[in-house]
Each structure stands twice: as C-alpha cells, then as structure tokens.
Short mmCIF file of all heavy atoms in Angstrom, two decimals:
data_model
loop_
_atom_site.label_atom_id
_atom_site.label_comp_id
_atom_site.label_asym_id
_atom_site.label_seq_id
_atom_site.Cartn_x
_atom_site.Cartn_y
_atom_site.Cartn_z
N MET A 707 0.82 -1.21 -0.01
CA MET A 707 -0.01 0.01 0.02
C MET A 707 0.85 1.26 0.01
O MET A 707 1.79 1.35 0.82
CB MET A 707 -0.88 -0.04 1.27
CG MET A 707 -1.88 1.08 1.34
SD MET A 707 -3.14 0.90 0.05
CE MET A 707 -4.35 2.10 0.64
N LEU A 708 0.60 2.14 -0.92
CA LEU A 708 1.34 3.42 -0.96
C LEU A 708 0.96 4.29 0.26
O LEU A 708 -0.16 4.23 0.70
CB LEU A 708 0.94 4.18 -2.21
CG LEU A 708 1.41 3.69 -3.57
CD1 LEU A 708 0.88 4.63 -4.63
CD2 LEU A 708 2.90 3.63 -3.62
N SER A 709 1.91 5.09 0.67
CA SER A 709 1.59 6.17 1.62
C SER A 709 1.09 7.37 0.78
O SER A 709 1.28 7.42 -0.41
CB SER A 709 2.80 6.53 2.41
OG SER A 709 3.77 7.15 1.56
N CYS A 710 0.49 8.33 1.48
CA CYS A 710 0.00 9.51 0.80
C CYS A 710 1.21 10.22 0.17
O CYS A 710 1.10 10.77 -0.94
CB CYS A 710 -0.69 10.46 1.78
SG CYS A 710 -2.26 9.77 2.40
N LYS A 711 2.33 10.25 0.87
CA LYS A 711 3.51 10.94 0.33
C LYS A 711 3.97 10.27 -0.95
O LYS A 711 4.34 10.95 -1.92
CB LYS A 711 4.63 10.85 1.40
CG LYS A 711 5.70 11.86 1.24
CD LYS A 711 6.63 11.78 2.40
CE LYS A 711 8.00 12.36 2.03
NZ LYS A 711 9.00 12.15 3.07
N GLU A 712 3.98 8.96 -0.98
CA GLU A 712 4.39 8.25 -2.20
C GLU A 712 3.38 8.53 -3.34
O GLU A 712 3.77 8.64 -4.51
CB GLU A 712 4.44 6.71 -1.94
CG GLU A 712 5.66 6.34 -1.14
CD GLU A 712 5.57 4.91 -0.62
OE1 GLU A 712 4.45 4.41 -0.36
OE2 GLU A 712 6.62 4.29 -0.49
N LEU A 713 2.11 8.57 -2.98
CA LEU A 713 1.13 8.85 -4.02
C LEU A 713 1.38 10.23 -4.64
O LEU A 713 1.34 10.37 -5.86
CB LEU A 713 -0.28 8.81 -3.43
CG LEU A 713 -1.33 8.94 -4.54
CD1 LEU A 713 -2.41 7.89 -4.45
CD2 LEU A 713 -1.88 10.36 -4.61
N VAL A 714 1.68 11.20 -3.76
CA VAL A 714 1.95 12.54 -4.28
C VAL A 714 3.16 12.50 -5.19
O VAL A 714 3.17 13.11 -6.30
CB VAL A 714 2.17 13.53 -3.11
CG1 VAL A 714 2.74 14.88 -3.61
CG2 VAL A 714 0.86 13.79 -2.40
N ALA A 715 4.16 11.74 -4.79
CA ALA A 715 5.40 11.64 -5.61
C ALA A 715 5.13 11.02 -6.99
O ALA A 715 5.71 11.37 -7.98
CB ALA A 715 6.43 10.81 -4.85
N HIS A 716 4.12 10.11 -7.04
CA HIS A 716 3.78 9.45 -8.29
C HIS A 716 2.72 10.16 -9.08
O HIS A 716 2.41 9.71 -10.19
CB HIS A 716 3.25 8.03 -8.01
CG HIS A 716 4.32 7.03 -7.67
ND1 HIS A 716 4.60 6.67 -6.39
CD2 HIS A 716 5.17 6.33 -8.43
CE1 HIS A 716 5.59 5.75 -6.41
NE2 HIS A 716 5.96 5.55 -7.65
N SER A 717 2.15 11.23 -8.54
CA SER A 717 0.91 11.74 -9.13
C SER A 717 1.09 12.25 -10.54
O SER A 717 0.22 11.98 -11.41
CB SER A 717 0.31 12.82 -8.22
OG SER A 717 1.29 13.84 -8.00
N SER A 718 2.20 12.99 -10.84
CA SER A 718 2.30 13.49 -12.20
C SER A 718 2.46 12.33 -13.20
O SER A 718 1.87 12.36 -14.28
CB SER A 718 3.46 14.51 -12.41
OG SER A 718 4.04 14.83 -11.22
N ASP A 719 3.28 11.37 -12.85
CA ASP A 719 3.46 10.21 -13.74
C ASP A 719 2.15 9.44 -13.90
O ASP A 719 1.83 8.96 -14.99
CB ASP A 719 4.53 9.27 -13.16
CG ASP A 719 5.94 9.83 -13.35
OD1 ASP A 719 6.11 10.78 -14.17
OD2 ASP A 719 6.85 9.37 -12.67
N PHE A 720 1.38 9.34 -12.82
CA PHE A 720 0.10 8.66 -12.90
C PHE A 720 -0.80 9.40 -13.93
O PHE A 720 -1.39 8.76 -14.78
CB PHE A 720 -0.55 8.67 -11.50
CG PHE A 720 -1.97 8.12 -11.50
CD1 PHE A 720 -2.18 6.79 -11.76
CD2 PHE A 720 -3.03 8.95 -11.22
CE1 PHE A 720 -3.50 6.27 -11.75
CE2 PHE A 720 -4.32 8.45 -11.23
CZ PHE A 720 -4.55 7.13 -11.45
N LEU A 721 -0.87 10.71 -13.76
CA LEU A 721 -1.73 11.48 -14.67
C LEU A 721 -1.24 11.48 -16.10
O LEU A 721 -2.01 11.57 -17.03
CB LEU A 721 -1.90 12.91 -14.14
CG LEU A 721 -2.73 13.01 -12.84
CD1 LEU A 721 -2.62 14.40 -12.26
CD2 LEU A 721 -4.16 12.63 -13.05
N ASP A 722 0.08 11.35 -16.25
CA ASP A 722 0.64 11.30 -17.61
C ASP A 722 0.60 9.90 -18.19
O ASP A 722 1.07 9.69 -19.30
CB ASP A 722 2.08 11.80 -17.61
CG ASP A 722 2.18 13.30 -17.35
OD1 ASP A 722 1.17 13.99 -17.51
OD2 ASP A 722 3.26 13.76 -16.96
N GLY A 723 0.14 8.94 -17.43
CA GLY A 723 0.12 7.55 -17.90
C GLY A 723 1.54 6.93 -17.99
O GLY A 723 1.75 6.02 -18.78
N GLN A 724 2.40 7.43 -17.16
CA GLN A 724 3.83 6.93 -17.23
C GLN A 724 4.14 5.78 -16.26
O GLN A 724 5.24 5.29 -16.19
CB GLN A 724 4.78 8.11 -16.88
CG GLN A 724 4.66 9.28 -17.83
CD GLN A 724 5.14 8.93 -19.23
OE1 GLN A 724 6.21 8.36 -19.38
NE2 GLN A 724 4.37 9.29 -20.24
N LEU A 725 3.17 5.40 -15.45
CA LEU A 725 3.45 4.37 -14.44
C LEU A 725 3.30 2.97 -15.04
O LEU A 725 2.55 2.80 -16.01
CB LEU A 725 2.47 4.50 -13.26
CG LEU A 725 2.60 5.78 -12.46
CD1 LEU A 725 1.57 5.75 -11.30
CD2 LEU A 725 3.99 5.98 -11.88
N SER A 726 4.01 2.02 -14.44
CA SER A 726 3.81 0.62 -14.85
C SER A 726 2.41 0.18 -14.35
O SER A 726 1.78 0.84 -13.50
CB SER A 726 4.87 -0.24 -14.23
OG SER A 726 4.67 -0.30 -12.81
N LEU A 727 1.97 -0.94 -14.90
CA LEU A 727 0.65 -1.43 -14.47
C LEU A 727 0.59 -1.64 -12.98
O LEU A 727 -0.38 -1.26 -12.34
CB LEU A 727 0.39 -2.78 -15.18
CG LEU A 727 -0.91 -3.50 -14.84
CD1 LEU A 727 -2.10 -2.61 -15.23
CD2 LEU A 727 -1.01 -4.84 -15.49
N ARG A 728 1.65 -2.19 -12.44
CA ARG A 728 1.67 -2.46 -10.99
C ARG A 728 1.59 -1.16 -10.17
O ARG A 728 0.84 -1.08 -9.20
CB ARG A 728 2.96 -3.22 -10.65
CG ARG A 728 2.93 -3.85 -9.34
CD ARG A 728 4.19 -4.67 -9.17
NE ARG A 728 4.41 -4.88 -7.74
CZ ARG A 728 5.41 -5.60 -7.27
NH1 ARG A 728 6.27 -6.15 -8.08
NH2 ARG A 728 5.55 -5.74 -5.98
N GLU A 729 2.36 -0.16 -10.60
CA GLU A 729 2.34 1.14 -9.90
C GLU A 729 0.98 1.79 -10.02
O GLU A 729 0.46 2.36 -9.06
CB GLU A 729 3.38 2.06 -10.47
CG GLU A 729 4.80 1.66 -10.16
CD GLU A 729 5.85 2.45 -10.96
OE1 GLU A 729 5.60 2.75 -12.12
OE2 GLU A 729 6.93 2.71 -10.38
N ARG A 730 0.38 1.65 -11.21
CA ARG A 730 -0.95 2.25 -11.44
C ARG A 730 -1.95 1.62 -10.53
O ARG A 730 -2.82 2.28 -9.97
CB ARG A 730 -1.32 2.07 -12.90
CG ARG A 730 -2.16 3.17 -13.42
CD ARG A 730 -2.03 3.29 -14.94
NE ARG A 730 -2.40 2.09 -15.61
CZ ARG A 730 -1.66 1.53 -16.58
NH1 ARG A 730 -0.52 2.04 -16.95
NH2 ARG A 730 -2.06 0.41 -17.17
N LEU A 731 -1.88 0.31 -10.39
CA LEU A 731 -2.82 -0.39 -9.49
C LEU A 731 -2.65 0.06 -8.06
O LEU A 731 -3.60 0.24 -7.31
CB LEU A 731 -2.65 -1.89 -9.62
CG LEU A 731 -3.11 -2.49 -10.96
CD1 LEU A 731 -2.78 -4.00 -11.01
CD2 LEU A 731 -4.62 -2.30 -11.13
N SER A 732 -1.34 0.25 -7.66
CA SER A 732 -1.14 0.73 -6.28
C SER A 732 -1.77 2.10 -6.07
O SER A 732 -2.36 2.36 -5.02
CB SER A 732 0.37 0.84 -6.00
OG SER A 732 1.02 -0.35 -6.27
N VAL A 733 -1.58 2.98 -7.07
CA VAL A 733 -2.14 4.31 -6.95
C VAL A 733 -3.68 4.21 -6.88
O VAL A 733 -4.31 4.85 -6.04
CB VAL A 733 -1.70 5.20 -8.12
CG1 VAL A 733 -2.52 6.48 -8.18
CG2 VAL A 733 -0.23 5.51 -8.06
N ARG A 734 -4.28 3.40 -7.74
CA ARG A 734 -5.71 3.26 -7.74
C ARG A 734 -6.23 2.71 -6.42
O ARG A 734 -7.30 3.13 -5.92
CB ARG A 734 -6.16 2.39 -8.94
CG ARG A 734 -6.06 3.10 -10.23
CD ARG A 734 -6.79 2.37 -11.33
NE ARG A 734 -6.72 3.10 -12.58
CZ ARG A 734 -7.44 4.19 -12.86
NH1 ARG A 734 -8.32 4.65 -11.99
NH2 ARG A 734 -7.28 4.78 -14.01
N ALA A 735 -5.53 1.72 -5.91
CA ALA A 735 -5.94 1.13 -4.64
C ALA A 735 -5.89 2.19 -3.52
O ALA A 735 -6.80 2.27 -2.70
CB ALA A 735 -5.04 -0.04 -4.27
N HIS A 736 -4.84 3.03 -3.54
CA HIS A 736 -4.77 4.08 -2.57
C HIS A 736 -5.94 5.05 -2.72
O HIS A 736 -6.56 5.47 -1.74
CB HIS A 736 -3.40 4.78 -2.65
CG HIS A 736 -3.21 5.81 -1.55
ND1 HIS A 736 -2.45 5.59 -0.45
CD2 HIS A 736 -3.72 7.08 -1.44
CE1 HIS A 736 -2.49 6.65 0.32
NE2 HIS A 736 -3.26 7.57 -0.26
N LEU A 737 -6.16 5.45 -3.94
CA LEU A 737 -7.23 6.44 -4.22
C LEU A 737 -8.60 5.92 -3.75
O LEU A 737 -9.44 6.66 -3.31
CB LEU A 737 -7.27 6.81 -5.70
CG LEU A 737 -6.10 7.61 -6.20
CD1 LEU A 737 -6.23 7.85 -7.70
CD2 LEU A 737 -5.99 8.94 -5.46
N ALA A 738 -8.78 4.61 -3.88
CA ALA A 738 -10.05 4.03 -3.46
C ALA A 738 -10.24 4.14 -1.95
O ALA A 738 -11.38 4.23 -1.45
CB ALA A 738 -10.12 2.55 -3.89
N MET A 739 -9.12 4.19 -1.25
CA MET A 739 -9.18 4.25 0.24
C MET A 739 -9.09 5.65 0.79
O MET A 739 -9.43 5.88 1.93
CB MET A 739 -7.99 3.47 0.84
CG MET A 739 -7.82 2.04 0.33
SD MET A 739 -8.95 0.93 1.17
CE MET A 739 -8.24 0.99 2.83
N CYS A 740 -8.52 6.59 0.04
CA CYS A 740 -8.10 7.85 0.58
C CYS A 740 -8.77 9.03 -0.15
O CYS A 740 -8.34 9.33 -1.27
CB CYS A 740 -6.59 7.95 0.54
SG CYS A 740 -5.94 9.43 1.26
N ARG A 741 -9.74 9.64 0.50
CA ARG A 741 -10.43 10.73 -0.21
C ARG A 741 -9.55 11.97 -0.34
O ARG A 741 -9.74 12.79 -1.23
CB ARG A 741 -11.76 11.04 0.43
CG ARG A 741 -11.70 11.73 1.72
CD ARG A 741 -13.09 11.76 2.40
NE ARG A 741 -12.95 12.24 3.77
CZ ARG A 741 -13.00 13.52 4.10
NH1 ARG A 741 -13.21 14.41 3.18
NH2 ARG A 741 -12.87 13.88 5.36
N HIS A 742 -8.61 12.12 0.60
CA HIS A 742 -7.70 13.27 0.50
C HIS A 742 -6.90 13.21 -0.79
O HIS A 742 -6.74 14.24 -1.47
CB HIS A 742 -6.78 13.32 1.71
CG HIS A 742 -7.51 13.42 3.01
ND1 HIS A 742 -8.22 14.54 3.38
CD2 HIS A 742 -7.66 12.50 3.99
CE1 HIS A 742 -8.80 14.32 4.56
NE2 HIS A 742 -8.49 13.08 4.95
N CYS A 743 -6.38 12.02 -1.07
CA CYS A 743 -5.56 11.88 -2.29
C CYS A 743 -6.48 11.98 -3.53
O CYS A 743 -6.00 12.45 -4.58
CB CYS A 743 -4.77 10.62 -2.23
SG CYS A 743 -3.39 10.71 -1.11
N ARG A 744 -7.73 11.50 -3.44
CA ARG A 744 -8.64 11.67 -4.58
C ARG A 744 -8.78 13.15 -4.90
O ARG A 744 -8.73 13.55 -6.03
CB ARG A 744 -10.00 11.04 -4.27
CG ARG A 744 -10.04 9.54 -4.46
CD ARG A 744 -11.43 9.05 -4.71
NE ARG A 744 -12.34 9.30 -3.59
CZ ARG A 744 -12.47 8.50 -2.52
NH1 ARG A 744 -11.76 7.40 -2.43
NH2 ARG A 744 -13.31 8.78 -1.57
N ARG A 745 -8.93 13.95 -3.84
CA ARG A 745 -9.11 15.38 -4.03
C ARG A 745 -7.83 15.98 -4.65
O ARG A 745 -7.87 16.80 -5.53
CB ARG A 745 -9.44 16.06 -2.73
CG ARG A 745 -9.95 17.47 -2.91
CD ARG A 745 -10.45 18.03 -1.60
NE ARG A 745 -9.36 18.12 -0.66
CZ ARG A 745 -9.52 18.32 0.65
NH1 ARG A 745 -10.71 18.43 1.17
NH2 ARG A 745 -8.48 18.38 1.43
N PHE A 746 -6.69 15.49 -4.14
CA PHE A 746 -5.40 16.01 -4.65
C PHE A 746 -5.25 15.69 -6.14
O PHE A 746 -4.91 16.55 -6.95
CB PHE A 746 -4.25 15.36 -3.86
CG PHE A 746 -2.91 15.66 -4.45
CD1 PHE A 746 -2.33 16.93 -4.30
CD2 PHE A 746 -2.22 14.71 -5.17
CE1 PHE A 746 -1.12 17.22 -4.84
CE2 PHE A 746 -0.99 15.02 -5.72
CZ PHE A 746 -0.43 16.26 -5.57
N ILE A 747 -5.58 14.45 -6.52
CA ILE A 747 -5.44 14.03 -7.94
C ILE A 747 -6.42 14.86 -8.81
O ILE A 747 -6.08 15.27 -9.89
CB ILE A 747 -5.74 12.55 -8.10
CG1 ILE A 747 -4.59 11.71 -7.46
CG2 ILE A 747 -5.96 12.16 -9.53
CD1 ILE A 747 -3.30 11.76 -8.30
N ARG A 748 -7.58 15.16 -8.25
CA ARG A 748 -8.55 15.95 -8.99
C ARG A 748 -7.97 17.35 -9.23
O ARG A 748 -8.08 17.88 -10.36
CB ARG A 748 -9.87 16.02 -8.24
CG ARG A 748 -11.06 16.29 -9.13
CD ARG A 748 -12.36 15.81 -8.50
NE ARG A 748 -12.59 16.41 -7.21
CZ ARG A 748 -12.95 15.74 -6.12
NH1 ARG A 748 -13.12 14.43 -6.17
NH2 ARG A 748 -13.13 16.36 -4.98
N GLN A 749 -7.37 17.92 -8.21
CA GLN A 749 -6.75 19.25 -8.35
C GLN A 749 -5.61 19.21 -9.40
O GLN A 749 -5.48 20.10 -10.20
CB GLN A 749 -6.18 19.75 -7.00
CG GLN A 749 -7.27 20.15 -6.05
CD GLN A 749 -6.68 20.54 -4.70
OE1 GLN A 749 -5.62 20.07 -4.28
NE2 GLN A 749 -7.38 21.41 -3.99
N MET A 750 -4.83 18.14 -9.34
CA MET A 750 -3.76 17.98 -10.28
C MET A 750 -4.27 17.92 -11.72
O MET A 750 -3.71 18.49 -12.63
CB MET A 750 -2.94 16.69 -10.03
CG MET A 750 -2.11 16.73 -8.78
SD MET A 750 -0.58 17.67 -8.97
CE MET A 750 0.33 16.58 -10.11
N LYS A 751 -5.37 17.19 -11.90
CA LYS A 751 -5.97 17.09 -13.23
C LYS A 751 -6.41 18.42 -13.75
O LYS A 751 -6.20 18.76 -14.89
CB LYS A 751 -7.21 16.12 -13.19
CG LYS A 751 -6.83 14.69 -13.30
CD LYS A 751 -8.13 13.87 -13.38
CE LYS A 751 -7.81 12.39 -13.31
NZ LYS A 751 -9.02 11.60 -13.08
N VAL A 752 -7.08 19.18 -12.86
CA VAL A 752 -7.54 20.55 -13.25
C VAL A 752 -6.32 21.38 -13.64
O VAL A 752 -6.30 22.04 -14.69
CB VAL A 752 -8.30 21.20 -12.10
CG1 VAL A 752 -8.56 22.69 -12.41
CG2 VAL A 752 -9.60 20.44 -11.85
N THR A 753 -5.27 21.32 -12.82
CA THR A 753 -4.05 22.10 -13.09
C THR A 753 -3.45 21.70 -14.43
O THR A 753 -3.09 22.57 -15.23
CB THR A 753 -3.00 21.86 -11.97
OG1 THR A 753 -3.63 22.15 -10.74
CG2 THR A 753 -1.82 22.79 -12.16
N GLN A 754 -3.39 20.40 -14.70
CA GLN A 754 -2.82 19.94 -15.98
C GLN A 754 -3.66 20.38 -17.15
O GLN A 754 -3.15 20.77 -18.19
CB GLN A 754 -2.69 18.40 -15.98
CG GLN A 754 -1.54 17.91 -15.14
CD GLN A 754 -1.19 16.50 -15.50
OE1 GLN A 754 -2.00 15.75 -16.07
NE2 GLN A 754 0.00 16.07 -15.15
N GLY A 755 -4.97 20.34 -16.99
CA GLY A 755 -5.90 20.76 -18.04
C GLY A 755 -5.67 22.22 -18.36
O GLY A 755 -5.63 22.61 -19.51
N VAL A 756 -5.50 23.04 -17.28
CA VAL A 756 -5.28 24.47 -17.49
C VAL A 756 -3.93 24.66 -18.21
O VAL A 756 -3.82 25.47 -19.15
CB VAL A 756 -5.25 25.20 -16.12
CG1 VAL A 756 -4.80 26.66 -16.29
CG2 VAL A 756 -6.64 25.16 -15.51
N LEU A 757 -2.92 23.89 -17.79
CA LEU A 757 -1.60 24.01 -18.41
C LEU A 757 -1.67 23.78 -19.92
O LEU A 757 -1.06 24.49 -20.69
CB LEU A 757 -0.66 22.93 -17.84
CG LEU A 757 0.01 23.26 -16.53
CD1 LEU A 757 0.81 22.05 -16.06
CD2 LEU A 757 0.94 24.41 -16.70
N ARG A 758 -2.42 22.73 -20.30
CA ARG A 758 -2.48 22.40 -21.71
C ARG A 758 -3.24 23.47 -22.54
O ARG A 758 -3.01 23.63 -23.69
CB ARG A 758 -3.21 21.05 -21.92
CG ARG A 758 -2.36 19.92 -21.39
CD ARG A 758 -2.72 18.60 -22.03
NE ARG A 758 -2.01 17.53 -21.36
CZ ARG A 758 -2.51 16.86 -20.36
NH1 ARG A 758 -3.70 17.12 -19.89
NH2 ARG A 758 -1.77 15.92 -19.76
N ALA A 759 -4.17 24.16 -21.81
CA ALA A 759 -5.02 25.11 -22.54
C ALA A 759 -4.34 26.47 -22.70
O ALA A 759 -4.79 27.29 -23.47
CB ALA A 759 -6.33 25.29 -21.78
N LEU A 760 -3.23 26.68 -21.98
CA LEU A 760 -2.61 27.99 -22.02
C LEU A 760 -1.33 28.01 -22.81
O LEU A 760 -0.67 27.02 -22.97
CB LEU A 760 -2.29 28.44 -20.58
CG LEU A 760 -3.51 28.84 -19.73
CD1 LEU A 760 -3.07 29.16 -18.31
CD2 LEU A 760 -4.24 30.02 -20.34
N PRO A 761 -0.97 29.17 -23.33
CA PRO A 761 0.34 29.30 -24.05
C PRO A 761 1.55 29.10 -23.11
O PRO A 761 1.42 29.22 -21.91
CB PRO A 761 0.30 30.75 -24.58
CG PRO A 761 -0.70 31.47 -23.76
CD PRO A 761 -1.69 30.45 -23.28
N ASP A 762 2.67 28.80 -23.71
CA ASP A 762 3.88 28.46 -22.94
C ASP A 762 4.26 29.53 -21.96
O ASP A 762 4.78 29.23 -20.86
CB ASP A 762 5.04 28.25 -23.91
CG ASP A 762 4.90 26.96 -24.71
OD1 ASP A 762 3.99 26.19 -24.38
OD2 ASP A 762 5.66 26.75 -25.66
N ALA A 763 4.03 30.77 -22.29
CA ALA A 763 4.45 31.88 -21.43
C ALA A 763 3.88 31.80 -20.05
O ALA A 763 4.45 32.26 -19.09
CB ALA A 763 4.11 33.20 -22.11
N ALA A 764 2.69 31.22 -19.91
CA ALA A 764 1.99 31.20 -18.64
C ALA A 764 2.41 30.06 -17.74
O ALA A 764 2.07 30.01 -16.60
CB ALA A 764 0.47 31.12 -18.85
N ILE A 765 3.26 29.14 -18.26
CA ILE A 765 3.52 27.92 -17.54
C ILE A 765 4.29 28.09 -16.24
O ILE A 765 3.97 27.46 -15.23
CB ILE A 765 4.18 26.89 -18.49
CG1 ILE A 765 3.07 26.32 -19.40
CG2 ILE A 765 4.85 25.75 -17.68
CD1 ILE A 765 3.55 25.28 -20.37
N PRO A 766 5.31 28.98 -16.14
CA PRO A 766 6.07 29.04 -14.86
C PRO A 766 5.16 29.35 -13.69
O PRO A 766 5.29 28.70 -12.65
CB PRO A 766 7.04 30.24 -15.14
CG PRO A 766 7.27 30.18 -16.59
CD PRO A 766 5.96 29.73 -17.21
N GLU A 767 4.18 30.25 -13.85
CA GLU A 767 3.29 30.53 -12.76
C GLU A 767 2.44 29.31 -12.38
O GLU A 767 2.18 29.07 -11.20
CB GLU A 767 2.32 31.68 -13.09
CG GLU A 767 2.98 33.02 -13.13
CD GLU A 767 2.09 34.08 -13.74
OE1 GLU A 767 0.87 33.98 -13.51
OE2 GLU A 767 2.61 34.98 -14.42
N LEU A 768 2.04 28.56 -13.38
CA LEU A 768 1.26 27.41 -13.07
C LEU A 768 2.05 26.28 -12.46
O LEU A 768 1.55 25.52 -11.65
CB LEU A 768 0.54 26.92 -14.35
CG LEU A 768 -0.62 27.83 -14.72
CD1 LEU A 768 -1.02 27.61 -16.18
CD2 LEU A 768 -1.81 27.55 -13.85
N ASP A 769 3.34 26.25 -12.81
CA ASP A 769 4.21 25.30 -12.11
C ASP A 769 4.25 25.64 -10.62
O ASP A 769 4.21 24.76 -9.76
CB ASP A 769 5.63 25.37 -12.67
CG ASP A 769 5.79 24.56 -13.94
OD1 ASP A 769 4.85 23.78 -14.26
OD2 ASP A 769 6.79 24.73 -14.62
N ALA A 770 4.33 26.93 -10.33
CA ALA A 770 4.36 27.38 -8.94
C ALA A 770 3.03 26.99 -8.26
O ALA A 770 3.02 26.55 -7.12
CB ALA A 770 4.57 28.88 -8.86
N LEU A 771 1.94 27.12 -8.98
CA LEU A 771 0.64 26.74 -8.43
C LEU A 771 0.58 25.25 -8.16
O LEU A 771 0.16 24.84 -7.05
CB LEU A 771 -0.49 27.12 -9.43
CG LEU A 771 -1.88 26.65 -9.07
CD1 LEU A 771 -2.40 27.36 -7.80
CD2 LEU A 771 -2.86 26.94 -10.22
N ALA A 772 1.04 24.44 -9.05
CA ALA A 772 1.05 23.02 -8.89
C ALA A 772 1.91 22.63 -7.70
O ALA A 772 1.54 21.76 -6.87
CB ALA A 772 1.56 22.32 -10.15
N GLU A 773 3.03 23.34 -7.58
CA GLU A 773 3.95 23.10 -6.43
C GLU A 773 3.24 23.46 -5.12
O GLU A 773 3.38 22.75 -4.13
CB GLU A 773 5.23 23.89 -6.66
CG GLU A 773 6.27 23.71 -5.55
CD GLU A 773 6.72 22.27 -5.38
OE1 GLU A 773 6.70 21.50 -6.36
OE2 GLU A 773 7.09 21.94 -4.25
N ARG A 774 2.52 24.56 -5.14
CA ARG A 774 1.83 24.98 -3.91
C ARG A 774 0.77 23.96 -3.53
O ARG A 774 0.62 23.66 -2.38
CB ARG A 774 1.20 26.35 -4.16
CG ARG A 774 1.00 27.14 -2.87
CD ARG A 774 0.90 28.64 -3.11
NE ARG A 774 -0.21 29.01 -3.93
CZ ARG A 774 -0.14 29.77 -5.03
NH1 ARG A 774 1.02 30.20 -5.42
NH2 ARG A 774 -1.23 30.07 -5.69
N LEU A 775 0.05 23.47 -4.52
CA LEU A 775 -0.98 22.45 -4.23
C LEU A 775 -0.32 21.19 -3.63
O LEU A 775 -0.81 20.62 -2.70
CB LEU A 775 -1.71 22.09 -5.51
CG LEU A 775 -2.67 23.11 -6.09
CD1 LEU A 775 -3.22 22.65 -7.44
CD2 LEU A 775 -3.80 23.37 -5.13
N ALA A 776 0.84 20.83 -4.20
CA ALA A 776 1.51 19.64 -3.68
C ALA A 776 1.97 19.88 -2.25
O ALA A 776 1.91 18.99 -1.40
CB ALA A 776 2.71 19.31 -4.58
N GLN A 777 2.44 21.10 -1.98
CA GLN A 777 2.89 21.38 -0.61
C GLN A 777 1.72 21.38 0.38
O GLN A 777 1.83 20.85 1.46
CB GLN A 777 3.57 22.75 -0.56
CG GLN A 777 5.00 22.72 -1.07
CD GLN A 777 5.62 24.09 -1.21
OE1 GLN A 777 4.97 25.11 -0.94
NE2 GLN A 777 6.86 24.14 -1.62
N GLN A 778 0.59 21.94 -0.04
CA GLN A 778 -0.59 21.93 0.80
C GLN A 778 -0.98 20.48 1.13
O GLN A 778 -1.32 20.18 2.26
CB GLN A 778 -1.78 22.57 0.11
CG GLN A 778 -1.77 24.06 0.15
CD GLN A 778 -2.89 24.65 -0.68
OE1 GLN A 778 -3.73 23.92 -1.21
NE2 GLN A 778 -2.90 25.98 -0.82
N ARG A 779 -0.82 19.63 0.16
CA ARG A 779 -1.19 18.22 0.32
C ARG A 779 -0.30 17.55 1.36
O ARG A 779 -0.69 16.70 2.09
CB ARG A 779 -1.10 17.52 -1.04
CG ARG A 779 -1.45 16.10 -1.02
CD ARG A 779 -2.93 15.90 -0.60
NE ARG A 779 -3.16 14.54 -0.20
CZ ARG A 779 -2.90 14.09 1.04
NH1 ARG A 779 -2.39 14.88 1.94
NH2 ARG A 779 -3.13 12.85 1.36
N ARG A 780 0.99 17.99 1.38
CA ARG A 780 1.96 17.36 2.27
C ARG A 780 1.75 17.74 3.72
O ARG A 780 2.18 17.08 4.64
CB ARG A 780 3.38 17.73 1.88
CG ARG A 780 3.84 16.92 0.66
CD ARG A 780 5.29 17.20 0.33
NE ARG A 780 5.52 17.06 -1.10
CZ ARG A 780 5.82 18.05 -1.89
NH1 ARG A 780 5.98 19.28 -1.42
NH2 ARG A 780 6.02 17.86 -3.17
N GLN A 781 1.10 18.92 3.93
CA GLN A 781 0.87 19.35 5.30
C GLN A 781 -0.19 18.49 5.96
O GLN A 781 -1.11 18.05 5.31
CB GLN A 781 0.41 20.80 5.32
CG GLN A 781 1.59 21.75 5.03
CD GLN A 781 1.09 23.14 4.57
OE1 GLN A 781 -0.09 23.43 4.68
NE2 GLN A 781 2.02 23.93 4.08
N PRO A 782 -0.04 18.23 7.25
CA PRO A 782 -0.99 17.36 7.95
C PRO A 782 -2.39 17.92 8.00
O PRO A 782 -2.57 19.14 7.99
CB PRO A 782 -0.42 17.21 9.34
CG PRO A 782 0.67 18.23 9.50
CD PRO A 782 1.06 18.72 8.12
ZN1 LIG B 1490 -3.67 9.25 0.60
#
C-alpha cells in the first residue's frame, strides 16, 4: 500500500500515464481508500488541463501553483 507521500510523488506520472501497471494499481488502490488523495489528484488534473489550454508563457506561474498544491497536500 502506498503512503500519501508516495502517491503525491507518483501523481504526475500517474496522470501522464507513465506508471507501470503495478504502480498504477497501487495508486488506484490508494485512491479508493483515501479521499484526501482523490481530491489531490482531482486538483492535479484541473491544473494539468489548465496547463495544456494556455500558451507556454503562462507555464512558470502554473508550475508554482502546482507546487503549492503539492505542498498543501503534504501538510498534515
Ligand atoms: Zn492518501
């Protein structure tokens, strides 16, 4: 079972489809159990969707936003 911290570490790869089948299953199993991480992944998806919709110039600020979301998630 992944910890929440591990899930956060894997989250971008998960959303990019870069994880192995086994890793993906671990992430999904964690998400099924943990509503906090479900919310985190949902926020990540929204952030990624915004990233894709915007021109390159806007990306540094959104990176900072994604980082801030990740940091909020790490706090107890
Ligand atoms: Zn979790």
